[in-house]
Every structure is written in structure tokens, then in C-alpha cells.
Amino acid sequence: MKSLIAPLLIATLTALPVLADDLEQAAKDVCGCLAQPYAELEKALQTVKTDKGNDLSGLMNSKDELTKMMAATQTCVEDLRKQYPEIDADKALQKQVMEKTRQYCPNPLETLDLKAPPVPAG
């Protein structure tokens, strides 16, 4: 029994750096999927801010475009699930990837201050 534990432990320990690299790369890949939607969302959120307060009509006007973009993002994420099956199968690993993703590319909805004055176009 002891002779089986050592090789298993060595195999597990040697797999950990690869998995850590996979977590980093998976987070970067998720950011790649989110780059365009986040940029568009940030732009849309900036247009919501006016001198008189928040105007949601601009955001509602772009909802069709945002819906199409979200569908493309969902396809991208589904492809990543196939690319990283060990992460897809483990909720704890998924949580780690999402934490790293937030570090690499924060969600504009989580970082934008709607009370701040609008950013001038230019």
C-alpha cells in the first residue's frame, strides 16, 4: 500500500504547477472573452451618466447589440469549458479562476461610480 501512495503523491504534486498555470491561463482566456463586452458595457455606462443624473434610455437603445454580444461571449466561455475540462468539473477551481479574472479584468458594473461626473468624450 505504501508503495502506491508515493507515486500518487508525486504525480499529484507535479500536476499542481500545471494546474496553477492552467488557472492563470484560463482566467486570461476568460478576460479575452470578456474584453469586447466589458468595453462596450463601460462605454454604455458612461453614456448613461449625464450632467442631470443617470439616463437609462441610451442603455435601453443598445440592448439588442448588447444581447448579441452576450451570446458571443457565452459561446466563447462554452469553448473554454471544453478547453479546461478539469476546471469545468470543479467548482472550487472555477471560483479560483473567477477571482483571478476579476483581478485581470474587473467587471465595469463592479468598478464604475455612477455618481461621478461623466467622462468627457474625446
Side-chain angles (χ1 to χ4, degrees), residues 39-51:
E40 292 297 321
L41 179 59
E42 193 164 343
K43 187 169 67 174
L45 289 172
Q46 289 296 336
T47 63
V48 166
K49 292 169 30 171
T50 67
D51 293 332

Side-chain angles (χ1 to χ4, degrees), residues 20-90:
D21 289 345
D22 281 352
L23 294 176
E24 292 288 327
Q25 189 57 51
K28 290 176 183 176
D29 291 344
V30 170
C31 283
C33 291
L34 296 175
Q36 184 181 2
Y38 276 8
E40 292 297 321
L41 179 59
E42 193 164 343
K43 187 169 67 174
L45 289 172
Q46 289 296 336
T47 63
V48 166
K49 292 169 30 171
T50 67
D51 293 332
K52 297 176 184 172
N54 297 325
D55 178 12
L56 298 178
S57 63
L59 191 58
M60 295 309 290
N61 291 337
S62 62
K63 71 178 182 177
D64 288 337
E65 187 175 318
L66 290 173
T67 301
K68 289 177 190 174
M69 194 178 320
M70 292 309 295
T73 302
Q74 182 65 30
T75 300
C76 184
V77 170
E78 289 297 324
D79 290 344
L80 291 179
R81 287 183 172 157
K82 293 173 188 169
Q83 184 177 348
Y84 299 102
E86 69 282 357
I87 296 171
D88 186 46
D90 188 324

